Amino acid sequence: VSALPLDGTPEPAAPVAVEVGGVRAVAWTDADGRRRVARDVCPHRRAPLSAGTVVDGHLTCAYHGWSFDGSGTCRALPAIGPEGRIPGRARLDMLDAADALATLAPAAPVGDCSPIPASSADWLDADTPGLGRFWHPVARRDEVGTDGTVEVELLGERWLVDTPAASATALRSSGGRRAWGVAQHLDHVWVAPEEPLAPLPPVDEWGGEGWHHRTMHRAEGRFGPGLLVDNQLDAAHFPFLHAETFGNPSGAVLPPAEVERGAATVISTMRVAITAANDHRAAPGERTAQAHRTMRYRWEAPLWLYLRLDYEEMGGSTVILFSVTPLAPGRARMDVDLLFSHPHGFTEAELDDRVAFEHQVVGEDLGLQARFEDLRLPLDPTLELHTRADRLSVTVRQVLRGLLSEDPAES
Ligand code: FES
Ligand SMILES: [Fe+2]
């Protein structure tokens, strides 16, 4: 246990992750110079508060900028605007700093914590019952060997996928049982362990005239599959987590979004203010500080997301396809496909630039994702705190929870 700059030393610039009697906690110094300790989990979307900042003694969450005073009361909730009413439940779980001091120790890296198994449809991870009844992207097409086979990981099992067989098969490592189906669709090989509740997701722009396809580096490792998708369908984090790339502070108050709910999909459209750092037609000094994009989200159960961005000032459109694979509890993969279109077309260098930009943006997301302690996505609405800015993510949780708890005998 090494000494921490907590007692009598100047206020640390950043909150400190500590462990108090086996509980992960965050310590900071409030506006009165008093040391404060709280559980290291934000009441909103459970992000680690130790990844945040201390602004005027208020502990500010890195994800959506909720800000808490020394008593743990939320004082700012940017997405609902200054007139919005902050819910009374927006409070930190405070620990007694004096008591805590005796046992305060630097927290181990989150990777050392063992994930808690998801045992019911209240939480989503790779062992949540019901996930077998969907199509899952398991490999990119170019990963299939010359003999047509590829070995993949899905839902805690290894599978041997044989694609060119008269009827393609996927055999699970445990007992050699056969999956319901194998498909090649978009840039991926998909497996449905059991009869799927939803079809493969369509993408109209795929292969379309004027659309350029690029792929991003794969993210794979200690990630929560549901958290990864939830992150990508959330627009309220842009001004905070993406302040370095396109997040515009004037976009903090989210406009009301239309949310359209289907049997296994949710669609939402909104228009947000951005900074156009990725306007490849303008020199850096000439880029519009105020720009807008219309965003059309289409989530498809269980873990796939289509996002279309139409740029008003810059022109052109980008389609981003997020394909998340639940490999095993506490382990997930995200493959991202990018489709770009612009009335003036692109040079190769411009396309490379755009890919690099999107890569930087997703890197900002993954940096925080890697710091979550509990990798499960809560599906029970009481496990998090929602505001009107969270309509899309709440609706996705509701649809997913309903599908996962459906009785197979009745479908
Ligand atoms: S503000 Fe902390 S998770 Fe959203
Ligand atoms: Fe993001």
Side-chain angles (χ1 to χ4, degrees), residues 231-232 234 237-238 241-242 246 361 365:
N231 176 195
Q232 297 305 336
D234 164 65
H237 72 277
F238 298 164
L241 208 49
H242 299 303
F246 69 97
V361 170
D365 289 319

Side-chain angles (χ1 to χ4, degrees), residues 188-246:
H188 301 266
V189 176
W190 303 67
V191 166
E194 292 147 49
E195 185 170 359
L197 294 175
L200 288 160
V203 177
D204 292 345
E205 296 87 347
W206 191 265
E209 173 97 26
W211 287 95
H212 303 262
H213 174 228
R214 291 289 183 277
T215 58
M216 267 175 48
H217 300 310
R218 168 174 286 174
E220 181 175 319
R222 188 194 168 279
F223 293 112
L227 295 181
L228 288 176
V229 178
D230 189 51
N231 176 195
Q232 297 305 336
L233 55 76
D234 164 65
H237 72 277
F238 298 164
F240 306 96
L241 208 49
H242 299 303
E244 301 284 311
T245 45
F246 69 97

Side-chain angles (χ1 to χ4, degrees), residues 25-195:
V26 57
W28 82 103
T29 305
D30 74 10
D32 301 327
R34 293 172 63 182
R35 181 184 316 107
R36 300 292 190 171
V37 181
R39 285 213 45 194
D40 193 10
V41 55
C42 181
H44 177 222
R45 285 289 177 266
R46 303 168 60 86
L49 291 160
S50 56
T53 49
V54 177
V55 181
D56 300 330
H58 287 189
L59 177 60
T60 304
C61 182
Y63 206 176
H64 307 96
W66 291 23
S67 195
F68 303 89
D69 69 13
S71 74
T73 304
C74 183
R75 295 291 174 197
L77 202 162
I80 59 170
E83 269 83 60
R85 200 185 61 82
I86 296 176
R89 279 180 56 221
R91 293 189 53 80
L92 298 185
D93 196 352
M94 299 299 290
L95 303 172
D96 189 305
D99 277 5
L101 248 191
T103 53
L104 222 49
V110 282
D112 295 357
C113 300
S114 44
I116 311 155
S119 51
S120 70
D122 288 345
W123 299 88
L124 182 86
D125 199 354
D127 54 355
T128 302
L131 268 181
R133 291 193 293 151
F134 292 94
W135 286 107
H136 295 275
V138 292
R140 285 210 180 262
R141 286 176 185 237
D142 64 8
E143 292 176 294
V144 175
T146 47
D147 65 348
T149 69
V150 59
E151 211 189 312
V152 301
E153 188 182 6
L154 175 67
L155 303 178
E157 291 192 79
R158 309 288 311 178
W159 302 75
L160 182 66
V161 182
D162 194 359
T163 54
S167 93
T169 55
L171 298 178
R172 45 183 113 206
S173 53
S174 62
R177 272 184 306 138
R178 197 178 155 148
W180 181 88
V182 175
Q184 300 205 39
H185 178 60
L186 306 173
D187 198 39
H188 301 266
V189 176
W190 303 67
V191 166
E194 292 147 49
E195 185 170 359

